[in-house]
């Protein structure tokens, strides 16, 4: 039996897709989506454990990967509460059926 997904109808609840908070939320979600692959793909803990097991400092390439991981992680972390705030303060108008 195929899975039946509901059709998305944002206009039925009185919010067009061009509403400013929806556009900002979509932009922030895009930022999170672009930041996620480097954060998930780079494992700085594994790089540090390998260097420690060999008794050597991190290689310059590993330090560069850590900086990329750190730089990509913060925008994603900061965007998630911002998305929640946009959703919670979505205009202050009650939803009304159209």
């Amino acid at each position: 039996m195929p899975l039946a997904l509901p059709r998305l109808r944002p206009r039925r609840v009185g919010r067009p897709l061009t509403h400013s908070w929806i556009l900002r939320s979509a932009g922030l979600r895009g930022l999170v989506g672009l930041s996620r692959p480097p954060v998930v793909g780079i494992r700085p803990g594994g790089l540090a454990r390998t260097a420690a097991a060999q008794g050597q400092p991190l290689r310059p390439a590993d330090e560069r990967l850590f900086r990329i991981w750190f730089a990509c992680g913060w925008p994603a972390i900061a965007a998630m509460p911002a998305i929640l705030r946009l959703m919670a303060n979505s205009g202050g108008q009650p939803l009304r059926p159209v």
Side-chain angles (χ1 to χ4, degrees), residues 10 12-15 21 90 92-98:
R12 293 191 99 189
V13 294
R15 296 281 162 52
W21 75 269
S90 62
Q93 300 172 350
L95 297 177
R96 62 192 187 298
V98 175

Side-chain angles (χ1 to χ4, degrees), residues 4-58:
L5 298 174
R7 290 182 56 189
L8 299 177
R9 298 176 190 231
R11 290 186 183 268
R12 293 191 99 189
V13 294
R15 296 281 162 52
L17 285 176
T18 56
H19 205 275
S20 65
W21 75 269
I22 295 175
L23 293 174
R24 285 184 278 180
S25 176
L28 288 171
R29 288 173 189 248
L31 174 70
V32 170
L34 291 174
S35 299
R36 184 182 162 132
V39 171
V40 172
I42 299 171
R43 305 285 182 181
L47 299 174
R49 277 191 293 278
T50 302
Q54 295 172 353
Q56 299 179 2
L58 284 175

Side-chain angles (χ1 to χ4, degrees), residues 25-26 28 46 57 67 69-72 77 82 85-86 88-89 91 96:
S25 176
L28 288 171
R67 283 199 285 299
W69 178 82
F70 191 81
C72 289
I77 289 171
R85 182 174 176 166
L86 283 170
N89 301 322
R96 62 192 187 298

